Amino acid sequence: MNGAGSDASEEPAPEPGESGTRTDADGERDRRPEGPPQKLLDRREELTPMLSQYLDLCETHPDAIVLFQVGDFYEAFCEAAEVVARVCEVTLTKREDSTGTYAMAGIPIDNAASYLEPLLDAEYRVAVADQVEDAEEASGLVDRAVTNVVSPGTVVDDELLDRASATYLAAVVEAEGEKNLGGDGDDPRTALATLDVSTGECRVTSAGPDRISTELERLAPAEVLAPAGLGFDPSGLGFETMLTDRGPEAFALDRADETLSRYVAEPTAVLDSPVERRAVGALLDYAEYTQGDDGALSYVSRIRRYDLRESLRIDATAMRSLELFDSRHPGRGETLLDTVDRTACALGRRKLEAWLRRPLIDEAAIERRHDAVAELLSRPLARETIRDHLDRVYDLERLAARVSRERANARDLRALKTTLDVVPEVKDALADAESEALADLRESLDELADVRDLIGEAIVEDPPQEITEGGVIREGFDDELDEIRATEREGREWVSSLEERERERTGIDSLEVGYNQVHGYYIEVTNPNLDRVPDDYTRRQTLKNAERFYTPELKRREDEILSAAERANALEYEVFRDVRAEVAAETERLQSLADALARLDVLATFATVAASADYVRPEMGAEEIAIDAGRHPVVERTQAEFVPNGIDFADGHVAVITGPNMSGKSTYMRQIALVCLLAQAGSFVPADAAELPVLDRLFTRVGASDDIAGGQSTFMREMAELTEILHDATEDSLVLLDEVGRGTSTADGLAIARATTEFVHDEVGATTLFATHYHDLTALAEELPNAFNLHFTVSKGEGKDGDGADSPDDTDAPDVTFLHRVAEGAASSSYGVEVARLAGVPDRVVARAREHLRESSAPGADASTSGAATERDGADADSGDTGADASVSTADPADDDSDGPRDTLAAYVDGLDAGSNGRPEGLAIDGDFDDLGEAEREVLAELRDLDVARTTPLEALNTLERLQRELNE
């Protein structure tokens, strides 16, 4: 697409090595679209005034692509033009003048947003340079200036914003020797500040680096500011974001305090932490720069500090595995947010997402929300009335921000009035509110009658889009404007009656009075009647078949009309700006009202979901989780039938869950987590009844994934997630573990799974659900006092209902039906072969698998394929590993009073230390180990003394690898 008013013709992109090409240390060419083009720099003294102006703007915005207004287009030149042409899919043209030929590409101003979006998606920053004076009034070159810088985190255009979600800009700063105020020991603290530039919501917190990374993943800002030397790498986060490096001076404390002083009188009184002030100061400074450097953003009226410990901690792994906001199968599945979103307006939708991202941990605050939901549930007429009114509410937060930035037009003000008209009706619907939360909300619903009346009196009901061309201000609002309009109106009425009067005076029936923008008002007479034209007519224009004239009186009236219209439009624009400024002065009240309407919308939404989906109020403050007939809120909506299942942790805090693949173990664990999360967000829950404690953290280790770019295999990723859980979980946490240890050999995986279970039980004390195909772990329920077994039942053959027991001698291959029902006790099989058959694996493969299964279960089978391996036919085991499984077999620990293989091995090592080569009863060792050397004895002694309970899985793996290497050497 060509730019208007330029000498442009199509040509291919310039060859590498032309203007703007830079060469790095390795000799590679780097054609940068941001900053001043080298070709223009080289010819600075020769450039035309317009290109010189463009170059100056590029130098003052070296981090952005400058889009330069030329007529009705935004143009880019040189390297920037190549990027704009490629990314926006517009034609790359050229500009030629006496100084040379320059690549050029343009986008239309009236549709700029649709072209900016792909540039932002490609993580480019765009500086928009507008004409800041009227081209008709300019003497020489029209003055241009960058009016705003658009980046992924600073978007304010409605067409580029997600209506339903906040768009955050974030700043991350590390402390410089400052006192640690949080709970992360003596580690340096890191501050995180966030700002939604479209609404003015500004928040800041500080914690250890790991906690800040978790909070970043929870908020998923579109752009992150960080000091250039911080080494912050966004690629390690679980979401896409643009990293903006800023120089250290941008984060200096004195500069931050200077910036903050434009927003609060005493920065240290609002934020006593220097690192938090540095983060907020850098954030606001950058936001001001992107919005045109016009000083403080007046709509950022509240800077709030929050503590990460004041909400339920949900890390990015848990958010992904629970599918809170993003489906693991995009386009094919709903999320929790989709499921409970019945909000009536954009304000409520964003508030709902915020509540789900930060569930409460204050029991009293949770109960306040539940009380409000219960009342709205019991009053369906009031609830639906409120929702009907809220459906008419516009996006008040973003409207208020636009008004404050002086970017709102007359239609925005009318939308604001429509929203304010709703408030009295909403208050009436809440007149009998009894719950504390609803009563408080009613009191906080400021009707802003003064603002509503002002807009109603000043702005016409259906104003035009443009605010500089008249037709915006109501008649009767401004006396001077009414007088000018009366003059204009009288003049037009005089002109409209002129045609009839002149026909009577001249006798020319075909005479016409008209107007055009070039010649103004005229009287047109056809050629055959020219001899009847009066002497007071003055010729204005000659046409082929007619002449156009004016009279002295018509000329005077024309001057009056045009002058009055011009003055009226100018005055109307000034009156509109005054009205907008009066409304902007009430920005803080508008924001408070927006927050109240948003909260009311979410509470009404929770009540609506409870009514339509049969959710119940949970009893909070219980010692343990107890759920009767719980359901997965998302899955029950997407499946025709759903089998409810409950849980009761009265028997202990560790539940080991076994059962066939595809039986519903993962869904079951996730539904328990979602029930707890919804309850702490303030919602009722999908169950027949629920008694719940207030959780502090929610962890998941569910599903398989790798990080190839980061050098992590599936197993290493699993171990990293497990490490975080074992370090950070507390007795008030909920932990979901699914198939821990499956990415390595059977022996190693079982060892890790068992050690993890013991550690969680003995050391952490967290409420834990552990789904596994390692059936050996079910024995822990007998050994650990606070562990118990659950399993998923199946139905075999004709009406046989059981826990999955399957004899290896079965040859009729009975059909298996998964009942998706939880029962007490342990399953005896995983039915992996049957799942393979259901998945469509060829019959020959299934039959041969059954043969292998029977052979491995036969008496006298090799130790590497017998015992636990038979029962774990569905586990992810490394069948080629014959290490520990092949060399050591143990007696059933239930047959004696020992603690199993660990005590037997310890007794053997103790015997070696005493000089005995005898083996303890119950330990079978293949191979000649009677004559062990000193090195071997040291390895065995270290194994004996290893404190398994205090060894993390990753440390255990490293220790085993080292000991194995020492033995091999």
Side-chain angles (χ1 to χ4, degrees):
M1 187 170 293
N2 298 332
S6 59
D7 181 12
S9 61
E10 295 186 17
E11 74 165 10
E15 292 294 324
E18 288 190 13
S19 63
T21 300
R22 299 170 178 85
T23 304
D24 62 21
D26 297 324
E28 295 294 329
R29 289 190 172 95
D30 178 23
R31 299 177 59 81
R32 296 179 56 84
E34 303 97 339
Q38 190 63 44
K39 190 172 185 179
L40 297 184
L41 288 172
D42 293 341
R43 305 175 185 180
R44 176 187 289 278
E45 302 302 325
E46 308 169 14
L47 295 176
T48 62
M50 190 184 78
L51 283 182
S52 180
Q53 190 182 57
Y54 174 77
L55 178 60
D56 290 341
L57 294 175
C58 288
E59 288 182 312
T60 56
H61 295 81
D63 58 349
I65 291 176
V66 174
L67 290 181
F68 187 80
Q69 183 179 359
V70 180
D72 295 330
F73 282 76
Y74 287 127
E75 302 284 0
F77 300 93
C78 301
E79 290 78 24
E82 298 175 37
V83 169
V84 170
R86 183 182 71 252
V87 175
C88 299
E89 298 183 355
V90 296
T91 303
L92 182 68
T93 63
K94 65 181 180 180
R95 174 185 174 87
E96 294 185 55
D97 58 36
S98 59
T99 65
T101 301
Y102 308 95
M104 183 176 74
I107 62 174
I109 291 176
D110 60 0
N111 191 27
S114 63
Y115 293 94
L116 287 175
E117 187 170 9
L119 288 170
L120 296 178
D121 290 341
E123 295 191 358
Y124 287 107
R125 189 176 291 101
V126 180
V128 180
D130 288 303
Q131 295 178 179
V132 292
E133 67 173 330
D134 192 330
E136 295 180 359
E137 297 178 359
S139 57
L141 183 66
V142 178
D143 192 20
R144 296 176 176 87
V146 171
T147 55
N148 68 306
V149 178
V150 185
S151 64
T154 61
V155 173
V156 294
D157 192 314
D158 275 352
E159 295 181 51
L160 298 174
L161 286 168
D162 183 347
R163 170 185 174 274
S165 298
T167 299
Y168 288 117
L169 172 71
V172 179
V173 187
E174 283 185 343
E176 297 177 344
E178 296 161 19
K179 183 180 179 181
N180 180 16
L181 303 177
D184 294 331
D186 295 327
D187 292 339
R189 292 183 64 76
T190 304
L192 169 65
T194 57
L195 172 66
D196 185 342
V197 181
S198 70
T199 66
E201 175 196 351
C202 185
R203 296 162 62 90
V204 62
T205 189
S206 56
D210 291 341
R211 292 296 304 275
I212 292 301
S213 293
T214 298
E215 183 68 359
L216 271 171
E217 296 202 53
R218 175 155 64 170
L219 296 175
E223 184 176 359
V224 178
L225 312 178
L230 182 60
F232 178 77
D233 182 10
S235 64
L237 299 173
F239 63 94
E240 293 185 1
T241 187
M242 177 178 179
L243 174 63
T244 297
D245 287 330
R246 303 278 281 170
E249 68 280 357
F251 297 90
L253 184 58
D254 55 352
R255 178 167 171 177
D257 286 342
E258 180 182 349
T259 300
L260 280 170
S261 65
R262 297 196 286 271
Y263 295 84
V264 293
E266 292 291 337
T268 55
V270 177
L271 298 172
D272 60 359
S273 166
V275 69
E276 292 179 358
R277 297 207 303 278
R278 290 170 55 213
V280 177
L283 186 75
L284 294 174
D285 183 64
Y286 178 76
E288 291 175 5
Y289 157 72
T290 63
Q291 300 308 302
D293 276 331
D294 292 330
L297 305 177
S298 57
Y299 62 99
V300 182
S301 56
R302 291 171 292 183
I303 299 171
R304 294 179 175 175
R305 186 190 185 280
Y306 67 103
D307 192 325
L308 293 176
R309 294 166 296 184
E310 294 175 351
S311 61
L312 175 64
R313 178 177 171 185
I314 313 170
D315 63 17
T317 300
M319 285 196 295
R320 285 193 294 268
S321 64
L322 295 176
E323 298 181 284
L324 302 184
F325 310 107
D326 297 295
S327 173
R328 287 172 295 158
H329 308 287
R332 296 192 291 126
E334 285 193 347
T335 65
L336 178 67
L337 180 60
D338 297 330
T339 300
V340 299
D341 181 14
R342 298 292 183 275
T343 51
C345 60
L347 295 172
R349 171 59 172 71
R350 290 199 298 272
K351 183 66 72 176
L352 172 62
E353 181 175 347
W355 282 12
L356 292 178
R357 287 189 185 276
R358 288 195 182 93
L360 301 171
I361 60 171
D362 182 335
E363 185 179 338
I366 296 170
E367 294 287 6
R368 273 171 51 89
R369 289 183 184 177
H370 288 168
D371 288 342
V373 174
E375 181 174 350
L376 290 170
L377 181 61
S378 66
R379 299 176 58 194
L381 181 59
R383 180 180 73 243
E384 291 308 313
T385 300
I386 290 169
R387 286 171 53 77
D388 288 344
H389 292 324
L390 291 176
D391 191 50
R392 293 156 48 201
V393 168
Y394 285 84
D395 196 335
L396 188 56
E397 282 182 316
R398 289 177 177 169
L399 279 174
R402 283 205 298 276
V403 170
S404 180
R405 294 196 308 271
E406 297 184 356
R407 296 184 183 181
N409 59 28
R411 293 184 180 180
D412 290 330
L413 292 188
R414 288 300 306 189
L416 182 56
K417 181 184 182 300
T418 299
T419 298
L420 297 179
D421 287 340
V422 169
V423 178
E425 298 171 343
V426 174
K427 292 186 73 171
D428 287 345
L430 290 172
D432 299 325
E434 297 178 357
S435 65
E436 183 181 356
L438 292 181
D440 288 348
L441 275 176
R442 187 180 187 282
E443 291 302 316
S444 62
L445 289 175
D446 185 351
E447 296 183 23
L448 283 97
D450 50 344
V451 174
R452 183 181 70 236
D453 293 344
L454 172 63
I455 297 173
E457 294 168 3
I459 309 299
V460 298
E461 288 190 9
D462 187 19
Q465 183 74 32
E466 294 296 326
I467 57 177
T468 59
E469 298 176 3
V472 170
I473 302 300
R474 279 183 181 274
E475 188 171 350
F477 181 75
D478 184 275
D479 293 340
E480 182 182 357
L481 178 61
D482 289 345
E483 185 177 339
I484 297 173
R485 281 176 170 170
T487 300
E488 179 187 1
R489 185 168 53 251
E490 290 172 3
R492 293 185 187 279
E493 290 173 354
W494 184 89
V495 170
S496 65
S497 63
L498 177 63
E499 184 174 294
E500 183 178 351
R501 293 198 308 271
E502 289 301 300
R503 283 182 178 181
E504 291 180 0
R505 182 165 79 96
T506 62
I508 304 173
D509 294 336
S510 61
L511 180 148
E512 293 181 352
V513 174
Y515 172 83
N516 67 40
Q517 291 184 340
V518 176
H519 297 286
Y521 287 102
Y522 58 82
I523 301 171
E524 184 174 297
V525 179
T526 57
N527 289 342
N529 296 299
L530 291 179
D531 59 340
R532 303 164 69 182
V533 169
D535 293 338
D536 60 344
Y537 278 24
T538 302
R539 182 175 286 104
R540 168 161 274 178
Q541 184 183 11
T542 300
L543 302 179
K544 180 179 180 181
N545 299 315
E547 295 280 352
R548 289 177 175 174
F549 304 87
Y550 66 90
T551 66
E553 181 64 12
L554 178 60
K555 178 62 175 172
R556 185 180 69 81
R557 293 285 187 171
E558 176 185 330
D559 291 342
E560 286 182 358
I561 293 170
L562 296 180
S563 175
E566 185 177 337
R567 287 188 296 128
N569 290 346
L571 179 57
E572 199 168 329
Y573 178 61
E574 290 302 318
V575 171
F576 171 79
R577 292 188 63 184
D578 290 342
V579 171
R580 185 172 63 186
E582 286 190 54
V583 176
E586 306 301 334
T587 296
E588 193 164 352
R589 292 172 63 195
L590 291 168
Q591 290 173 330
S592 296
L593 173 62
D595 181 67
L597 291 172
R599 285 184 285 141
L600 179 59
D601 193 9
V602 178
L603 293 172
T605 289
F606 284 160
T608 299
V609 172
S612 63
D614 196 22
Y615 286 13
V616 300
R617 178 173 184 166
E619 295 183 23
M620 304 303 297
E623 292 293 326
E624 305 291 349
I625 295 175
I627 301 172
D628 181 17
R631 312 186 303 276
H632 192 294
V634 180
V635 176
E636 73 167 343
R637 283 189 59 189
T638 58
Q639 293 187 355
E641 296 182 1
F642 185 88
V643 179
N645 282 296
I647 185 74
D648 189 345
F649 281 94
D651 295 333
H653 61 82
V654 176
V656 178
I657 307 171
T658 51
N661 288 293
M662 300 291 293
S663 60
K665 296 189 297 296
S666 294
T667 298
Y668 174 66
M669 292 198 302
R670 287 186 174 103
Q671 81 184 34
I672 293 170
L674 292 177
V675 164
C676 294
L677 186 151
L678 282 172
Q680 291 186 216
S683 172
F684 284 13
V685 299
D688 286 354
E691 297 178 11
L692 305 174
V694 176
L695 303 173
D696 65 347
R697 304 175 188 185
L698 199 163
F699 296 98
T700 66
R701 160 81 284 284
V702 180
S705 62
D706 56 24
D707 181 9
I708 297 175
Q712 288 189 330
S713 65
T714 299
F715 181 64
M716 179 58 77
R717 184 74 175 264
E718 176 185 328
M719 290 300 100
E721 292 176 1
L722 181 61
T723 298
E724 182 178 354
I725 292 172
L726 297 182
H727 279 299
D728 293 349
T730 73
E731 62 180 9
D732 294 323
S733 302
L734 176 62
V735 176
L736 310 185
L737 299 175
D738 191 6
E739 299 301 340
V740 169
R742 66 180 173 178
T744 184
S745 70
T746 302
D748 287 348
L750 177 57
I752 293 170
R754 183 180 180 107
T756 297
T757 308
E758 292 171 344
F759 186 81
V760 169
H761 179 279
D762 298 339
E763 303 293 332
V764 178
T767 301
T768 303
L769 295 109
F770 196 142
T772 182
H773 284 294
Y774 291 130
H775 290 260
D776 307 61
L777 291 182
T778 58
L780 287 174
E782 299 178 5
E783 301 176 24
L784 304 177
N786 289 312
F788 62 100
N789 289 319
L790 296 174
H791 73 280
F792 275 78
T793 60
V794 300
S795 175
K796 289 197 314 178
E798 297 183 3
K800 295 174 66 177
D801 188 353
D803 67 354
D806 186 12
S807 169
D809 296 327
D810 289 345
T811 56
D812 55 351
D815 289 336
V816 173
T817 302
F818 302 133
L819 301 178
H820 306 296
R821 186 176 298 125
V822 176
E824 295 181 358
S828 60
S829 176
S830 293
Y831 280 101
V833 175
E834 296 308 317
V835 172
R837 180 180 65 81
L838 292 174
V841 172
D843 292 342
R844 280 187 63 187
V845 175
V846 173
R848 184 59 177 154
R850 288 199 179 101
E851 291 177 14
H852 284 307
L853 189 60
R854 285 194 293 272
E855 291 170 0
S856 65
S857 302
D862 181 49
S864 64
T865 58
S866 63
T870 302
E871 295 178 347
R872 294 191 303 275
D873 59 274
D876 293 318
D878 183 353
S879 59
D881 189 326
T882 58
D885 281 348
S887 61
V888 179
S889 64
T890 64
D892 190 337
D895 293 340
D896 55 42
D897 295 331
S898 73
D899 286 339
R902 185 170 54 189
D903 281 359
T904 307
L905 179 60
Y908 179 50
V909 176
D910 289 340
L912 291 175
D913 290 344
S916 169
N917 287 330
R919 298 190 185 95
E921 184 178 355
L923 180 65
I925 300 182
D926 298 333
D928 185 8
F929 285 81
D930 290 340
D931 298 322
L932 293 177
E934 183 64 25
E936 287 87 349
R937 296 191 182 204
E938 290 178 359
V939 169
L940 288 173
E942 184 173 347
L943 281 174
R944 176 197 61 197
D945 297 335
L946 185 65
D947 188 350
V948 176
R950 296 183 180 277
T951 304
T952 68
L954 192 57
E955 290 171 344
L957 287 177
N958 291 333
T959 300
L960 288 172
E961 189 275 336
R962 177 176 56 78
L963 293 177
Q964 186 181 60
R965 185 174 65 252
E966 291 177 3
L967 286 175
N968 290 336
E969 291 173 353

